[in-house]
Amino acid sequence: EVQLVESGGDLVHPGGSLRLSCAASGFTFSSYVMIWVRQAPGKGLEWVSKMNGSGNRIYYADSVKGRFTISRDNSKSTLSLQMNSLRVDDTAIYYCVKEVSYGLALEYWGQGTLVTVSS
Amino acid sequence: QSALTQPASVSGSPGQSITISCTGTGSDVGGYNFVSWYQHPPGKAPKLIIYDDTKRPSGVSNRFSASKSGNTASLTISGLQTEDEADYYCCSFAESSPYVFGSGTKVTVL
């Protein structure tokens, strides 16, 4: 059974930093594209970042480019998101997501971790 | 990249069919066969219910079906059930972004 468990969400001041982690199990982690998606309170879903299995293809949404860094440790089946220069509008639930192997869709989602940026 | 346009809410009685539209442009919905749909119940993780415009993953009820015409994709829920109450999001590959989501539609079962 595929499981994705996020951790690291917290309350942080504007300008601060936070590191999210996602522990994956139930599939061959290194073979799959992994993604972060977020949902701000009362808002819709927003794609944040994407990394391929080997870690050499990385993409970011314009809203986080230059501030967030995605990474993965295939030996530990872990995906991470380093978030710097956090802003109030980064407040959201952050979901770790496994992409399908056969196209472009988001196959499995974690339960999410809440990041609150507030003074 | 702007969000794809969905109606804010759609409602129906048990057993009825409802359809949710998702309107984009030729640079996203209309330009690629990569529209997906997600069911997001309150307090739970989103679930993939449609991929590649019209395909249903294994295990997803056949009450969910989808179509696309030009720049507009549609999701139909047949035989509406109380368990179908959730937010529904479309999503498409776009020239400028691998994933562009719709604005979301709240489905209410009357």
Side-chain angles (χ1 to χ4, degrees):
Chain A
E1 178 193 5
V2 171
Q3 287 198 333
L4 299 168
V5 180
E6 304 93 339
S7 61
D10 205 346
L11 170 64
V12 61
H13 293 308
S17 298
L18 205 58
R19 187 177 183 87
L20 305 183
S21 294
C22 170
S25 60
F27 63 102
T28 305
F29 182 72
S30 60
S31 297
Y32 289 92
V33 171
M34 296 297 295
I35 289 158
W36 288 99
V37 173
R38 69 183 180 182
Q39 184 176 34
K43 303 293 186 181
L45 300 170
E46 179 189 17
W47 167 74
V48 172
S49 184
K50 169 176 174 172
M51 174 178 269
N52 70 339
S54 59
N56 61 357
R57 288 191 176 184
I58 295 172
Y59 307 88
Y60 296 102
D62 288 344
S63 58
V64 307
K65 200 173 294 182
R67 300 187 299 121
F68 289 12
T69 302
I70 190 172
S71 62
R72 65 193 295 160
D73 184 339
N74 287 340
S75 68
K76 297 180 179 178
S77 296
T78 300
L79 180 74
S80 297
L81 186 68
Q82 177 66 41
M83 304 186 294
N84 298 331
S85 303
L86 281 162
R87 309 190 298 223
V88 171
D89 61 1
D90 292 319
T91 296
I93 296 173
Y94 285 73
Y95 294 99
C96 171
V97 188
K98 172 187 173 292
E99 191 178 76
V100 297
S101 60
Y102 41 79
L104 284 172
L106 306 171
E107 186 176 24
Y108 289 103
W109 298 62
Q111 291 296 319
T113 187
L114 177 62
V115 173
T116 303
V117 185
S118 175
S119 53
Chain B
Q1 176 72 48
S2 300
L4 308 176
T5 301
Q6 297 181 232
S9 62
V10 174
S11 61
S13 299
Q16 286 186 329
S17 294
I18 61 170
T19 297
I20 302 168
S21 61
C22 169
T23 302
T25 68
S27 297
D28 39 62
V29 173
Y32 308 92
N33 295 323
F34 290 126
V35 172
S36 51
W37 289 88
Y38 303 88
Q39 179 191 58
H40 191 188
K44 295 188 176 182
K47 175 186 177 182
L48 174 67
I49 55 174
I50 296 287
Y51 68 98
D52 290 358
D53 287 358
T54 61
K55 299 175 182 176
R56 204 170 43 243
S58 173
V60 172
S61 172
N62 59 9
R63 296 187 299 105
F64 295 95
S65 62
S67 63
K68 192 175 80 174
S69 178
N71 297 335
T72 298
S74 298
L75 173 73
T76 298
I77 308 175
S78 305
L80 198 61
Q81 299 179 1
T82 54
E83 67 200 50
D84 298 331
E85 280 205 342
D87 293 327
Y88 289 81
Y89 292 90
C90 63
C91 182
S92 175
F93 177 82
E95 288 179 356
S96 59
S97 171
Y99 290 99
V100 176
F101 286 96
S103 46
T105 299
K106 182 179 181 62
V107 168
T108 302
V109 181
L110 302 172

